[in-house]
Amino acid sequence: MKKNWLSIVLIVAAVVLAVFSWRCLPDVVTVQVGLDGRATNTLPKMAAIVIPLGLSLVGSLMSLTAKEGKNNRGMVLALAGLAVMALSLLLNH
């Protein structure tokens, strides 16, 4: 039961962060930065939001449907998607 609530909270957090990202990110989003601090790879805004949102949603759904004693791969995937969204906001602020 506790895992279900956490998965639902992660879904809500991912959607809220995606909406916030849509409003705050530029049209071309930096997704990789080199050692010199320059942008080495960029994506259009839509792809930079949809990819980590999809990771978070798929991971949360995996966690919701997993049996009670199983490993937490879905939870790790959901948290990774949230981390990628947060990092893209940090890099492009």
Side-chain angles (χ1 to χ4, degrees), residues 4-77:
N4 289 346
W5 281 104
L6 186 57
S7 296
I8 292 169
V9 167
L10 288 176
I11 289 171
V12 171
V15 170
V16 168
L17 197 55
V19 170
F20 182 74
S21 295
W22 183 259
R23 294 182 54 91
C24 293
L25 288 176
D27 290 335
V28 177
V29 178
T30 300
V31 291
Q32 285 182 328
V33 178
L35 292 175
D36 58 355
R38 293 172 150 175
T40 57
N41 198 2
T42 60
L43 281 175
K45 183 193 315 192
M46 180 65 80
I49 294 172
V50 169
I51 292 170
L53 177 63
L55 283 175
S56 291
L57 294 178
V58 167
S60 294
L61 291 175
M62 282 174 56
S63 181
L64 276 173
T65 59
K67 294 185 180 173
E68 198 59 38
K70 289 290 191 178
N71 53 12
N72 294 323
R73 285 184 284 184
M75 196 65 63
V76 171
L77 189 61

